[in-house]
Amino acid sequence: MSSIESYLEASRARFEEELCELLRIPSVSAQPAHRGGIQQAADWVAQRFVRQGFATEVIATAGHPLVYAESPPVEGVPTVLVYGHYDVQPAEPLDLWISGPFEPTRRNGNLFARGATDDKGQMLTHVFGAEAWIECKGRLPLNLKFLIEGEEEIGSPNLEPFIRGNRQRLACDCVVISDGAQFGPDQPAITYGLRGIAYFDVRLTGPARDLHSGSFGGSVMNPANALARILTALIDEHGKIRIPGFYDDVVPLSDQERAQLAALPFDQQQYMQQIGVTALSGETGFTTLERRWVRPTYDISGLSSGYQGEGAKTVLPSSAAAKFSFRLVPDQDPEKISRALRSMLAGLCPAGIQLELEEHHSAPGVRIPLDSPFVAAAAAAVEYAFGCPPLYTREGGSIPVVSTFHDALGVDILLLGWGQDDDNTHSPNEKFSLADFHRGIKASCRLWEELSRVRR
Ligand code: BES
Ligand code: ZN
């Protein structure tokens, strides 16, 4: 690896500059105004693969384009599929960014920009890992296929049909994804579980127009009051979700896994400080890591109704709306949850109010077996690059396509997150530690070598 190591050393500034180039492209998948940025980012990624001699295609979908690239084929060695995403979450609220979301800026060893860690920076570690092999050794020690999408942050609505329709083309021995976090600084991790998600929009409509709350209040159901009542009815004071049947498929945590999670070096005080709270809360009877990683949850993400301007306005609003989601654990079926929610909401909706429920994205949770040669190979690569063996963690976030890869391609997935919990993903001032970026590239280089020796 010595020639590769010196190549990486000599390329540090250029790797960072290339990442900055991609970060300057505002590829926000949720906002139609950024369609141009989406196309530009897809083209940038495709060009990057073309430059290192990969057979590359930008593939149109019903939504945002996919980029697919293959390294020059080598006989008799394993094939690994790398998945990542070039789309990013909206940058709002803009006034809270210290430097512009699409003007990558270095501060204290970090690179700040929307998408720095989620997922442009992490995705590029594998592109550069492949480049280093090609430049230093003339070829990769295995076959690489890259599938980089532009809709991850909106639930990957068009990826599943593509994967199911291209099984042969995507055939591989395992999938590698870097779109998550380490356990902490200098505590790299291999993630063996993700939560799933079921996301909804509810809208309540009452009177035909806003009313004077003095003249009419008390005589008609106020949609905002009704919404508040409905939303709080979904969870009890012990943090248990009250939808009938919600816990039917939740597999209880084994004593062994509980002990494993409890043994992780988790610092509750530091966690509270990091997120700026004076107390933690959640489902009674579970630790903070259990609440974040292995228990299902319910969170309201947006609420709107009535007067939001300055001062007071005595109004009884004609409608009220909320966005909320459940994070699900493996074995819970998003569709079953959605049906149960729909029927519970119908029962909760008061007379005089019309309720509409819109379903956004959903994805099942996943659990990945740790006793595979691929995990052993990844552990060796991580230890080589980070100087210590990985911890084994789960994550509370979701990557919708992971279960599709497993079901459609019949392979295991390696979740190797290079980020940190305090990277401010989906929030203002997103960052990626440049040290983690370079260690991620180094780990990626080593990973190709380790995985090339695995025989299924
Ligand atoms: N990178 C995250 C997923 C993630 C978050 C992994 C935290 C590990 C830890 C990904 O980009 C993401 O945000 N996914 C969405 C999916 C949703 C839009 C369907 C999420 O979890 O909210
Ligand atoms: Zn994300």
Side-chain angles (χ1 to χ4, degrees):
M1 293 295 279
S2 69
S3 71
I4 290 188
E5 276 207 30
S6 39
Y7 180 84
L8 296 184
E9 218 29 64
S11 308
R12 285 171 76 98
R14 181 182 46 87
F15 289 156
E16 291 177 21
E17 203 28 63
E18 287 203 37
L19 170 55
C20 288
E21 249 180 53
L22 180 57
L23 290 172
R24 284 188 197 104
I25 305 174
S27 46
V28 182
S29 47
Q31 298 172 332
H34 285 297
R35 259 196 173 267
I38 283 284
Q39 187 63 47
Q40 216 188 321
D43 291 339
W44 189 96
V45 172
Q47 274 316 307
R48 194 61 198 66
F49 287 123
V50 169
R51 252 177 42 212
Q52 60 193 45
F54 282 30
T56 307
E57 244 188 280
V58 177
I59 299 165
T61 71
H64 303 326
L66 292 166
V67 180
Y68 181 69
E70 287 184 3
S71 61
V74 182
E75 286 290 315
V77 291
T79 298
V80 171
L81 176 69
V82 180
Y83 162 83
H85 60 98
Y86 65 78
D87 67 319
V88 300
Q89 286 271 331
E92 286 79 2
L94 299 178
D95 54 325
L96 295 183
W97 284 80
I98 295 166
S99 47
F102 302 108
E103 294 157 24
T105 305
R106 288 176 186 76
R107 286 193 296 276
N108 302 326
N110 296 304
L111 189 60
F112 287 82
R114 170 58 85 233
T117 187
D118 183 7
D119 177 44
K120 289 173 174 174
Q122 295 200 58
M123 179 265 285
L124 282 182
T125 62
H126 296 304
V127 178
F128 296 144
E131 177 204 289
W133 271 91
I134 293 166
E135 291 298 321
C136 298
K137 312 271 185 195
R139 68 168 181 86
L140 279 151
L142 79 183
N143 295 299
L144 284 184
K145 300 176 173 178
F146 279 84
L147 181 61
I148 311 298
E149 73 154 321
E151 297 192 313
E152 196 273 349
E153 299 292 8
I154 52 171
S156 303
N158 296 294
L159 191 53
E160 179 167 349
F162 175 80
I163 293 172
R164 294 200 185 276
N166 288 272
R167 283 199 171 106
Q168 218 43 44
R169 199 175 183 196
L170 300 175
C172 59
D173 295 287
C174 78
V175 174
V176 168
I177 303 177
S178 290
D179 187 22
Q182 304 175 51
F183 187 71
D186 301 315
Q187 292 174 316
I190 292 181
T191 299
Y192 65 93
L194 293 171
R195 286 196 290 192
I197 190 169
Y199 197 111
F200 302 92
D201 231 311
V202 67
R203 179 165 201 91
L204 303 191
T205 317
R209 69 197 78 86
D210 285 1
L211 302 173
H212 189 296
S213 67
S215 310
F216 301 95
S219 69
V220 293
M221 179 51 77
N222 176 329
N225 291 26
L227 181 63
R229 212 191 290 161
I230 290 173
L231 291 175
T232 48
L234 297 183
I235 191 160
D236 74 12
E237 69 274 26
H238 304 293
K240 278 269 179 305
I241 292 150
R242 296 184 60 220
I243 299 172
F246 186 86
Y247 290 93
D248 284 0
D249 300 318
V250 175
V251 180
L253 199 56
S254 71
D255 290 343
Q256 193 206 357
E257 189 171 5
R258 273 206 126 156
Q260 257 166 16
L261 296 182
L264 288 169
F266 180 66
D267 181 338
Q268 190 125 314
Q269 286 306 320
Q270 192 220 318
Y271 180 68
M272 282 170 36
Q273 206 179 2
Q274 179 200 321
I275 54 184
V277 296
T278 54
L280 295 173
S281 84
E283 193 182 358
T284 308
F286 294 92
T287 67
T288 299
L289 285 185
E290 290 168 356
R291 289 168 175 173
R292 292 172 63 198
W293 293 351
V294 296
R295 296 298 296 171
T297 51
Y298 158 62
D299 277 292
I300 300 167
S301 293
L303 271 177
S304 50
S305 182
Y307 180 63
Q308 309 279 334
E310 258 179 81
K313 181 185 183 196
T314 46
V315 69
L316 191 164
S318 71
S319 68
K323 296 176 191 292
F324 60 96
S325 70
F326 303 94
R327 291 286 169 172
L328 307 176
V329 296
D331 299 319
Q332 278 186 299
D333 173 6
E335 277 178 32
K336 206 165 141 185
I337 300 298
S338 164
R339 281 196 299 275
L341 171 71
R342 206 171 274 280
S343 85
M344 180 171 178
L345 290 185
L348 287 170
C349 183
I353 296 285
Q354 238 192 311
L355 183 151
E356 286 163 88
L357 184 69
E358 187 191 342
E359 217 177 306
H360 286 272
H361 41 63
S362 70
V366 291
R367 215 196 131 100
I368 298 154
L370 285 174
D371 57 351
S372 84
F374 302 107
V375 172
V382 167
E383 180 161 2
Y384 168 76
F386 287 80
C388 58
L391 297 167
Y392 292 90
T393 60
R394 289 171 69 151
E395 285 279 13
S398 314
I399 304 175
V401 74
V402 171
S403 64
T404 311
F405 281 135
H406 181 264
D407 299 347
L409 306 180
V411 295
D412 279 343
I413 289 87
L414 286 173
L415 296 172
L416 308 174
W418 312 134
Q420 295 293 344
D421 258 355
D422 66 355
D423 277 345
N424 300 325
T425 53
H426 298 200
S427 179
N429 306 308
E430 178 176 348
K431 66 165 175 68
F432 192 20
S433 146
L434 288 167
D436 284 335
F437 174 57
H438 292 292
R439 287 188 289 207
I441 298 171
K442 189 170 166 187
S444 174
C445 287
R446 186 64 169 232
L447 182 64
W448 308 144
E449 179 168 10
E450 296 285 344
L451 288 174
S452 74
R453 299 200 200 105
V454 175
R455 293 289 176 271
R456 271 220 284 191

